[in-house]
Amino acid sequence: MPVVRSSEAVVHEVHGARFVSYASPRSGSEELCAWRAEIPAGHRAPVHTVDREEVFHLLSGELLVTLGGRTERITAGDTVIITPGVTLGIENPTQEPALSWVTTSVGLRAELADGSVLTPEWAN
């Protein structure tokens, strides 16, 4: 039974946020990836488009999430389903950090507004 201890999680710092990877092919998961995203106070992530469905669950804090041009304020306990091909923006307009749990399928790629492609290590 694969168990990933919190001390074994892999930490990535990208675009001003912190991603702590728990499930990926590197940790024994064949189909799914899961990580905790730590979004600092006042942070705005780069707008991007993902090629896989993502389930984004907010554990603590408050965020503004923009999907396909529509913005929603989400709070702890809310879940956002992100469909492939939709433009996504995430902003933390508060003075407190926000923590989320994200699950997707292995192989996720994200295209940034400038056309560059990010293949996150924590999702591959």
Side-chain angles (χ1 to χ4, degrees), residues 35-116:
W35 61 87
R36 185 180 72 229
E38 301 171 2
I39 302 110
H43 181 71
R44 181 179 292 198
V47 174
H48 59 285
T49 304
V50 294
D51 69 345
R52 311 275 171 139
E53 183 175 67
E54 284 186 339
V55 176
F56 182 100
H57 180 77
L58 193 59
L59 299 168
S60 67
E62 187 175 315
L63 295 172
L64 294 176
V65 176
T66 303
L67 286 176
R70 180 176 172 211
T71 302
E72 292 278 343
R73 181 174 297 273
I74 65 169
T75 58
D78 292 345
T79 300
V80 178
I81 312 270
I82 303 158
T83 56
V86 173
T87 302
L88 168 67
I90 296 174
E91 177 182 357
N92 182 351
T94 74
Q95 299 299 313
E96 301 295 325
L99 297 176
S100 66
W101 184 261
V102 181
T103 303
T104 189
S105 55
V106 169
L108 174 80
R109 292 169 30 109
E111 183 175 340
L112 303 178
D114 67 3
S116 62

Side-chain angles (χ1 to χ4, degrees), residues 4-13 18-24 26-27 35-36 121-122:
V4 179
R5 306 285 179 201
S6 61
S7 62
E8 299 169 339
V10 180
V11 177
H12 305 274
E13 306 273 345
R18 188 173 199 220
F19 302 87
V20 184
S21 175
Y22 293 92
S24 71
R26 291 183 184 152
S27 62
W35 61 87
R36 185 180 72 229
E121 289 181 48
W122 57 91

